[in-house]
Amino acid sequence: MFSKTNLISTLVGAIWTYFGGFFLWEVVGPYFFSSNEESNPEHLHLIIACLITAFAFSTIYSKWARGHHSVSEGAQFGLWVGILIGFGERWFDLAFSHMALGDTIVNGILNLVVFTVLGIITSLIYGKFSSASTE
């Protein structure tokens, strides 16, 4: 769980989720959301959330892939996590809040992108460090 590969994957994944998420939700996203409210996240909590997400993602991926680290494997894993978080969890938000259906769908799609790319990054790191450790 605290292997070198997992920790590197966590760090790189957290960087992607922070900056990739910023780009998708703050630069691209506002064009697609119904309300153009400016968000002011607490960056310390955002960084902690990115680290937790990347660590959990990397740890679960290591159990999923079982030595088969390819871009397609990572993308598939990321896609399933994106569906779970982006649509499953966000639909709960829709049910309990006054969020618009269109915003829920946009959020789901953006989550699919973030987690699919995170899966690809994670698979590349695991592939590189797994093959390096067997040489």
Side-chain angles (χ1 to χ4, degrees):
M1 185 161 90
F2 292 107
S3 68
K4 176 182 171 183
T5 304
N6 194 11
L7 294 177
I8 291 170
S9 176
T10 296
L11 180 60
V12 174
I15 291 168
W16 159 250
T17 56
Y18 183 82
F19 289 107
F22 172 81
F23 176 74
L24 288 170
W25 271 272
E26 299 296 326
V27 177
V28 176
Y31 296 106
F32 300 103
F33 288 109
S34 62
S35 69
N36 291 327
E37 292 179 16
E38 194 172 308
S39 65
N40 294 311
E42 292 187 30
H43 287 278
L44 175 62
H45 293 293
L46 183 58
I47 290 167
I48 292 169
C50 289
L51 285 167
I52 291 169
T53 299
F55 180 71
F57 187 95
S58 180
T59 302
I60 297 168
Y61 171 82
S62 72
K63 309 293 186 224
W64 160 286
R66 301 263 181 206
H68 304 287
H69 308 294
S70 67
V71 171
S72 64
E73 190 77 26
Q76 181 185 32
F77 180 73
L79 186 67
W80 280 112
V81 172
I83 290 169
L84 173 71
I85 303 283
F87 286 103
E89 181 62 26
R90 297 299 176 243
W91 226 272
F92 283 120
D93 292 345
L94 175 66
F96 290 102
S97 70
H98 299 289
M99 190 177 213
L101 176 61
D103 291 349
T104 300
I105 293 169
V106 170
N107 241 330
I109 292 168
L110 295 178
N111 273 285
L112 286 177
V113 172
V114 165
F115 284 108
T116 300
V117 172
L118 182 58
I120 291 168
I121 291 168
T122 302
S123 70
L124 291 171
I125 291 169
Y126 269 87
K128 178 176 172 53
F129 285 96
S130 294
S131 64
S133 65
T134 58
E135 292 175 358

